[in-house]
Amino acid sequence: MRGSQKGDEPEALQAWKACQDAACIEPRYPDLRGAEKRATRHALFIEQTGQCVYCGRGIELEPGSDRHHIEHFRPRGRNYRHLELAYRNLFLSCGPKREDGGTQPTCGNKKDSWFDESCHVEPSPEGDCQQRFEFASGGGILGDGSPEADRMITILNLNHRELVAERMALIEELDEELNEGLPYCDLIESFLHVSQNGSRVSFANVAVQYLRRQHAVVHRAVPPDNAVS
């Protein structure tokens, strides 16, 4: 899971909820439309640097796109109705559609209305979430051995063959660049770079974690200068 560092609720969303309350109308997520919904979506995009909160795949905010959606981590059901407009519960996920028009088989679309209060990993804060997972050289994602991490991998279908193939291709490309002698710090910096529209490249979280782990392995393997030969 990529996770997300949550920021402040967008002013447009705050103002809309206040207007609904002033008109004695209960604010409901299905009524959130137009500029207020676009502002909410954009704020989530910036927080997540344009990547899906679950897999890290790049997201584009093109008008009319159905290849991403606002995700309610705790679903909009009876038990969590009070959180359907709570900004801390909102994230941006890839799907529900793929480029070929098919249904997205991973992430928020796969999760649907699932939630288990006793067995899950919170997407926020981002750092805590990412520490619970790592990526293998073959493109698979592994949990930290806890039932919570394993459950999230299964529920979100994060080891779907498409995701594994995309991550493996990225890791193979990174290995080639490292073998060519490109410095770790330069490669990491390139994946941490945020473009003018506020996004990083697709699966930047995978690349950064893999590069940092490989860098640590290399440094552990190199003996100190004063080691006895």
Side-chain angles (χ1 to χ4, degrees):
M1 284 177 62
R2 180 198 183 277
S4 175
Q5 196 68 37
K6 296 300 293 179
D8 295 332
E9 183 179 59
E11 292 183 4
L13 179 58
Q14 289 183 20
W16 177 81
K17 288 193 287 188
C19 285
Q20 294 291 97
D21 287 334
C24 298
I25 301 172
E26 180 185 6
R28 297 296 311 279
Y29 182 77
D31 297 328
L32 181 65
R33 305 186 185 96
E36 293 82 10
K37 190 169 186 177
R38 289 194 297 271
T40 302
R41 186 184 293 113
H42 185 260
L44 296 171
F45 180 90
I46 295 299
E47 283 180 358
Q48 297 170 206
T49 57
Q51 298 168 82
C52 173
V53 70
Y54 295 130
C55 71
R57 183 182 269 148
I59 289 174
E60 296 181 4
L61 290 185
E62 66 273 17
S65 172
D66 57 2
R67 284 161 47 196
H68 66 268
H69 67 278
I70 294 178
E71 163 75 0
H72 290 75
F73 185 62
R74 286 172 171 78
R76 292 190 292 127
R78 181 175 57 187
N79 293 338
Y80 299 104
R81 180 173 171 177
H82 62 292
L83 294 177
E84 68 176 25
L85 284 166
Y87 189 65
R88 67 184 184 279
N89 189 46
L90 303 182
F91 300 89
L92 208 58
S93 173
C94 62
K97 300 293 185 181
R98 297 185 293 184
E99 291 186 13
D100 62 6
T103 301
Q104 183 70 25
T106 66
C107 303
N109 195 54
K110 182 68 176 178
K111 171 179 169 286
D112 195 22
S113 60
W114 173 89
F115 193 74
D116 185 342
E117 195 67 64
S118 66
C119 189
H120 68 274
V121 176
E122 295 280 345
S124 182
E126 179 180 340
D128 291 352
C129 173
Q130 291 189 8
Q131 288 177 7
R132 305 290 298 273
F133 306 89
E134 66 177 82
F135 301 98
S137 57
I141 184 172
L142 308 171
D144 59 2
S146 68
E148 294 85 1
D150 291 343
R151 189 78 177 278
M152 297 307 296
I153 291 172
T154 300
I155 290 296
L156 300 169
N157 203 14
L158 294 180
N159 275 322
H160 185 273
R161 63 181 182 278
E162 291 180 5
L163 290 178
V164 171
E166 290 179 42
R167 292 191 297 246
M168 183 170 66
L170 173 60
I171 289 171
E172 288 177 347
E173 182 180 339
L174 293 174
D175 285 340
E176 289 179 7
E177 292 176 322
L178 291 173
N179 290 333
E180 291 172 0
L182 292 178
Y184 284 93
C185 57
D186 290 353
L187 285 172
I188 291 172
E189 184 62 31
S190 69
F191 284 97
L192 290 176
H193 173 73
V194 178
S195 68
Q196 289 186 342
N197 75 342
S199 66
R200 291 188 176 125
V201 299
S202 193
F203 297 110
N205 59 309
V206 177
V208 170
Q209 188 194 85
Y210 182 76
L211 288 166
R212 284 174 173 167
R213 188 172 72 242
Q214 292 301 102
H215 185 250
V217 168
V218 168
H219 274 257
R220 284 199 301 269
V222 175
D225 294 338
N226 60 353
V228 178
S229 59

